[in-house]
Amino acid sequence: MSTVTSLRTPDATDTVRDPAEMQRRVKLTVTLLLVSAIIFYFWWTIDDEQVFYLLSGERTRDTVPGEISTHPVTLTCGIVVLVAAVAAALGLMRHGATTLISMLVVGLAFLLCFVVWAYSDLDVAFKPWITNPLPGTFAVATPLVLGALAGCLCERAGVINVAIEGQFLAGAFFASVVASLTYSAGAGLLGGIIAGIGISAMLALFSIRYLVNQVVLGVVLVVFAQGLTNFLLDQIPNDATIKAYLNEPPKLQDIAIPGLSDIPLIGEAMFDQTILVYLMYAAVVFVTFVMFETRWGLRVRAVGEHPKAADTVGIKVRRIRWQAVLLAGVFAGLGGAYYTVGSTGSFDKNASSGNGFIALAAVIMGRWHPLWATFAALFFGLMSSLRNQLSLVDKIPSELLTMTPYLATVVAVAGFVGRVRPPAADGEPYVKS
Amino acid sequence: MPDEEQPRDNKAGAATKTKPRPEPETDRPSSGPASWLPSIKVTVASIVLALLVGAVLILVSDRQVIESFRYFFSYPWDAFRNSGQAIGESYSSLVSGSVGSWSAISATLERAAPLICAGLAVTLAFRAGLFNIGAQGQLIVGAVCAGYVGFHYDLPPVVHVLTALLAGLAGGAVWGGVIGVLKARTGAHEVITTIMLNYVAAALLTYLLTKESFQQPGSNNPRSEKVDATATFPSIFGVHSGIVLALLAAVGVWWLLERSTVGFELRAVGANADAGRTAGMSVAKVYTTAMIVAGLLAGLAGTQQVLGHQDSLTASFGGSIGFDAITVALLGRATPLGTVLAGLLFGALSTGGLAMQAGAASTPLALTQVLQALIVLFVAAPALVKAVFRFRESDNGGAVMAKGWNS
């Protein structure tokens, strides 16, 4: 992002009369005005003076919740967004870090007002309190981030990975089986990793060795993994004693990191989690570091952008691709394990329920960059978490709320991410001529 | 696509050289449009290979067989007999359940019709360089519109079914068109938007099913009224005429792709968007058109689900048709004829799979899913199939669109 900024004219006073730029400015202004109008509508219609929130801990009889005064908060947010709209109209919102931050502020202001509005004026005796959406965010986002990392690794090396969902399913199933057999959730993670690598190996074999179209292959592997896990699940007899050995795994326990887990707001959400979540943090750092700071990572990116050039300088294109795809299997398998040992326990049919495709969307939304893909997954996680939270409140029909994370993603993609450019050789098998 | 312009004498030359060997496909001299013969050969070989793998899974799933393998070395005959019996029973019920009787055939055709339509939706978008995962969403919206017209309005017989059909087509087209417009105007990647709009459509359906105007009177179940008899497709020999519509749609798509200017632009942009733009085509227009037509086709698949048999809308009426459609289109190598054949095959597999589950060997339904995946996998990997069956052909048997994401 920052490189884009520096390429633009550094002189902020220089008024560009480029029609595309003007169009962008008009669009941005109109959008911001709409957002502020909605916030002012909230401010106007809310009758409650206060709503209560509780950011950590359980709600008991003695808990004293925090209070948000609805009117000042919504009014302030509305004015902030209005100021942003004026700034956009004056052409101050260019590409750059300031704009990014101000858009983030606008987004958060809107979310805050929306939540406040949803929790106010409820016609119930027992008023719900706003709770912290972050724990839910991490719960949803953990497997998505891991899947997205797997996608980034594969696609940066030039192998399209539509099969993340398949890796999730295989990982979830085998994590459950291995954990049940060994009575150890940790061993279950290992089982998930091996299953993820297994699907990855199929992906690599057929795409790199047999030159199968990779989109086709990915879809097929998803169907294959669905069929296989369903088939194997059917093979587990419906007998409680046998089932206990095969599909009733112990779950991962939360481990609180001393000190860090006491940080208000984020401590409980980020540092009182299962080992899988910590592995996810480590994986983000690891993949980003490996991909951009090591020789191997440079090679991965080289074979994904221009395999012929990479081959010319002596890089073994197929070998690097194999390595990248297999490594991706580790992360995708871990992500799959989340759906059994990481959260609910035993494996059900379609345990990952299409989340692999959302991870794929996160890869594309994050422009094939592990960090941005992580943010995309977290964004989706936050939206899902808010959705789950608001569905307990009767202001909006929960069936309609169900679609908000998906709609929000569409809006974010259409409005802010726009055209993306995949790695140049993504999906093209390399044949040495 | 490359497999249509391959030299046709390739196969004949190869056949004379090879020793006579049990080949799964006939050795007929290539007459007429025989360029697709090699690819048929690979397809049949893939099916055989997939069935072989499936046989192993049947053995694994059959308790009797596993029991008899325990004493394999003392009395191997039992193991062989039981294995043969299990495989024979499973596959014979697969065949008889899908094409064994007229009722089985009609079930297969009715199952195949929406698969073909939705498959065409994926095919068409594919040819324009778009990966349409969104057939499911377009199908749901189409079915909701068709169903609503079907049960809410009272119209004369012929008009009613036509209106409902048109409503379904329009609904699907709108849902697909949104993706095309977003792609054309903002560059939003269609894979993301289609995935997300699938979920949105599913949520919309569940929401509508909580509304009174959609529910059956006096009931709170998330199930709509049945569509009126006047709004259902007429049946021909016990099969609803949706299959005819599906075939007509396939012909229409063929004409559109191969014989019309729009189709030419579509294929050109799909092959290379930059080249298309340089040649003066409006890529934005092509994307929008392709997605609208794709949505229309998926909407047609949706109408067949509700108008075919006087059905009501439920939260799960769509099943996984939209997703299976991707596999169908890919198996059909993104050609209309291929999609029809693949749709028929998948329709047969899924009705046969049900029979197999109910049959004597009670093979799990999931097996057909594995079979479907393996067939497509092997078809897409002609090099593997040829290595297994020792075909000696130099052509690639129709490698499908070896392309990546189109940005």
Side-chain angles (χ1 to χ4, degrees):
Chain A
M1 296 244 93
S2 56
T3 51
V4 179
T5 327
S6 58
L7 287 175
R8 300 254 159 187
T9 46
D11 188 3
T13 54
D14 176 26
T15 44
V16 187
R17 288 292 166 188
D18 178 19
E21 187 65 19
M22 286 305 289
Q23 204 187 5
R24 203 185 76 91
R25 196 193 284 185
V26 171
K27 257 196 235 167
L28 197 60
T29 313
V30 171
T31 318
L32 289 173
L33 282 177
L34 267 177
V35 172
S36 67
I38 297 173
I39 295 181
F40 283 124
Y41 167 79
F42 289 158
W43 169 69
W44 186 253
T45 51
I46 292 176
D47 286 335
D48 274 352
E49 288 289 322
Q50 279 137 354
V51 286
F52 301 107
Y53 67 89
L54 181 68
L55 291 183
S56 60
E58 297 286 308
R59 180 176 182 172
T60 58
R61 190 190 299 230
D62 308 321
T63 326
V64 181
E67 288 173 12
I68 302 176
S69 315
T70 52
H71 291 120
V73 166
T74 43
L75 192 61
T76 320
C77 288
I79 289 168
V80 165
V81 179
L82 203 59
V83 168
V86 171
L90 292 175
L92 298 174
M93 292 274 203
R94 302 278 184 81
H95 299 272
T98 342
T99 309
L100 201 67
I101 290 170
S102 40
M103 291 313 286
L104 211 62
V105 169
V106 166
L108 286 177
F110 176 74
L111 279 184
L112 175 66
C113 295
F114 184 73
V115 171
V116 165
W117 172 77
Y119 274 84
S120 61
D121 303 335
L122 292 169
D123 200 13
V124 285
F126 190 69
K127 290 215 171 177
W129 297 346
I130 301 171
T131 49
N132 191 351
L134 288 180
T137 305
F138 280 88
V140 178
T142 300
L144 294 182
V145 169
L146 286 165
L149 289 177
C152 282
L153 260 176
C154 284
E155 304 213 357
R156 276 299 179 115
V159 178
I160 291 179
N161 189 358
V162 186
I164 302 172
E165 172 77 1
Q167 292 171 318
F168 275 1
L169 281 172
F173 180 79
F174 286 100
S176 166
V177 170
V178 173
S180 311
L181 282 174
T182 57
Y183 294 111
S184 149
L189 290 185
L190 214 59
I193 290 175
I194 290 168
I197 294 179
I199 300 282
S200 259
M202 285 181 78
L203 180 70
L205 179 73
F206 281 96
S207 63
I208 302 171
R209 169 95 171 74
Y210 289 112
L211 313 180
V212 176
N213 175 291
Q214 293 160 12
V215 174
V216 178
L217 181 60
V219 174
V220 166
L221 286 180
V222 173
V223 180
F224 176 76
Q226 276 174 352
L228 190 73
T229 49
N230 286 352
F231 181 81
L232 293 176
L233 189 66
D234 283 341
Q235 296 311 304
I236 296 176
N238 208 0
D239 181 342
T241 48
I242 304 177
K243 222 172 186 169
Y245 283 110
L246 287 174
N247 196 15
E248 267 169 27
K251 291 184 220 165
L252 291 170
Q253 298 301 316
D254 286 350
I255 307 164
I257 295 182
L260 288 176
S261 61
D262 298 329
I263 303 173
L265 205 63
I266 59 167
E268 198 186 333
M270 291 181 69
F271 301 109
D272 187 9
Q273 293 278 16
T274 60
I275 183 87
L276 195 56
V277 178
Y278 302 131
L279 281 175
M280 182 266 283
Y281 303 149
V284 173
V285 176
F286 174 76
V287 171
T288 315
F289 176 79
V290 161
M291 201 182 275
F292 296 101
E293 305 295 335
T294 65
R295 184 184 306 197
W296 186 77
L298 183 63
R299 287 180 176 173
V300 166
R301 287 179 290 143
V303 300
E305 292 289 342
H306 203 318
K308 198 162 195 176
D311 196 11
T312 315
V313 296
I315 298 172
K316 300 260 185 295
V317 175
R318 289 182 165 203
R319 185 186 295 171
I320 295 283
R321 285 189 169 171
W322 262 97
Q323 289 165 349
V325 174
L326 289 184
L327 182 62
V330 173
F331 299 118
L334 273 179
Y338 178 85
Y339 292 103
T340 49
V341 293
S343 56
T344 54
S346 59
F347 181 86
D348 282 326
K349 285 191 179 172
N350 270 340
S352 56
S353 58
N355 277 312
F357 289 100
I358 291 173
L360 173 67
V363 172
I364 299 173
M365 201 172 152
R367 303 178 182 192
W368 289 270
H369 189 293
L371 276 184
W372 289 110
T374 304
F375 285 126
L378 285 173
F379 168 78
F380 186 85
L382 177 65
M383 289 299 146
S384 306
S385 170
L386 281 177
R387 180 258 321 258
N388 296 342
Q389 203 172 324
L390 292 180
S391 64
L392 301 175
V393 184
D394 262 351
K395 193 108 173 187
I396 310 163
S398 59
E399 293 84 5
L400 275 186
L401 262 180
T402 316
M403 57 175 85
T404 46
Y406 312 109
L407 274 182
T409 309
V410 171
V411 170
V413 168
F416 303 107
V417 179
R419 206 169 299 280
V420 288
R421 196 190 62 83
D426 203 4
E428 283 172 21
Y430 181 65
V431 187
K432 211 167 186 170
S433 51
Chain B
M1 288 288 111
D3 52 333
E4 274 152 40
E5 273 96 33
Q6 272 154 16
R8 65 173 70 147
D9 46 0
N10 207 346
K11 154 96 176 58
T16 49
K17 267 181 270 168
T18 46
K19 279 185 287 180
R21 177 179 279 127
E23 291 192 7
E25 184 53 22
T26 55
D27 265 348
R28 248 178 280 129
S30 45
S31 61
S35 55
W36 40 266
L37 257 184
S39 71
I40 287 225
K41 194 161 132 181
V42 170
T43 308
V44 173
S46 307
I47 295 173
V48 171
L49 209 56
L51 288 177
L52 285 178
V53 178
V56 175
L57 286 178
I58 291 173
L59 293 187
V60 174
S61 74
D62 196 294
R63 234 149 276 295
Q64 209 181 353
V65 174
I66 293 178
E67 288 296 319
S68 52
F69 265 98
R70 291 227 171 106
Y71 53 88
F72 181 76
F73 290 106
S74 51
Y75 195 59
W77 173 242
D78 249 15
F80 288 128
R81 199 195 51 199
N82 286 334
S83 311
Q85 202 178 356
I87 296 171
E89 272 172 3
S90 295
Y91 281 153
S92 70
S93 53
L94 179 70
V95 172
S96 65
S98 54
V99 290
S101 63
W102 178 244
S103 66
I105 291 177
S106 63
T108 296
L109 288 178
E110 283 176 3
R111 182 89 188 128
L115 279 176
I116 292 172
C117 293
L120 287 171
V122 181
T123 292
L124 190 91
F126 233 133
R127 295 294 283 271
L130 297 167
F131 186 32
N132 180 14
I133 314 187
Q136 187 76 25
Q138 295 147 19
L139 177 155
I140 288 175
V141 174
V144 165
C145 295
Y148 188 71
V149 172
F151 60 71
H152 195 259
Y153 296 102
D154 282 323
L155 295 170
V158 180
V159 183
H160 200 179
V161 69
L162 285 180
T163 330
L165 181 64
L166 283 180
L169 296 180
V174 167
W175 211 248
V178 167
I179 287 154
V181 170
L182 282 179
K183 168 99 180 170
R185 290 198 60 90
T186 69
H189 203 290
E190 79 278 2
V191 169
I192 309 181
T193 45
T194 46
I195 293 172
M196 298 301 158
L197 285 187
N198 279 350
Y199 286 101
V200 173
L204 191 70
L205 175 64
T206 10
Y207 172 67
L208 288 176
L209 288 176
T210 61
K211 295 271 128 192
E212 266 178 32
S213 53
F214 265 82
Q215 284 170 347
Q216 285 167 344
S219 156
N220 246 342
N221 292 335
R223 166 179 277 275
S224 78
E225 288 176 55
K226 284 195 158 90
V227 292
D228 296 345
T230 45
T232 45
F233 289 147
S235 5
I236 310 163
F237 304 119
V239 188
H240 71 70
S241 44
I243 184 76
V244 180
L245 285 180
L247 296 178
L248 284 179
V251 175
V253 169
W254 172 81
W255 182 84
L256 184 76
L257 279 175
E258 308 291 337
R259 291 287 179 273
S260 72
T261 320
V262 177
F264 177 75
E265 292 196 349
L266 207 138
R267 283 182 293 143
V269 169
N272 188 335
D274 290 331
R277 194 178 292 114
T278 314
M281 298 167 187
S282 162
V283 176
K285 210 176 87 188
V286 167
Y287 283 157
T288 315
T289 321
M291 281 315 298
I292 288 177
V293 180
L296 199 102
L297 289 162
L300 180 60
T303 60
Q304 291 173 338
Q305 285 296 98
V306 279
L307 303 182
H309 272 301
Q310 213 183 346
D311 283 328
S312 45
L313 294 167
T314 56
S316 60
F317 79 92
S320 61
I321 290 176
F323 197 76
D324 294 343
I326 304 171
T327 1
V328 166
L330 299 176
L331 179 60
R333 300 201 174 116
T335 61
L337 177 66
T339 308
V340 170
L341 295 177
L344 288 173
L345 176 68
F346 273 40
L349 276 176
S350 66
T351 45
L354 287 173
M356 205 157 74
Q357 192 179 30
S362 65
T363 320
L365 188 60
L367 183 72
T368 51
Q369 223 175 354
V370 178
L371 282 182
Q372 290 176 348
L374 287 175
I375 291 172
V376 182
L377 185 62
F378 292 143
V379 166
L384 175 76
V385 176
K386 282 176 186 158
V388 172
F389 285 95
R390 313 265 175 99
F391 290 169
R392 277 198 211 150
E393 278 165 61
S394 53
D395 72 317
N396 60 0
V400 199
M401 311 149 291
K403 284 189 69 175
W405 300 123
N406 297 277
S407 55

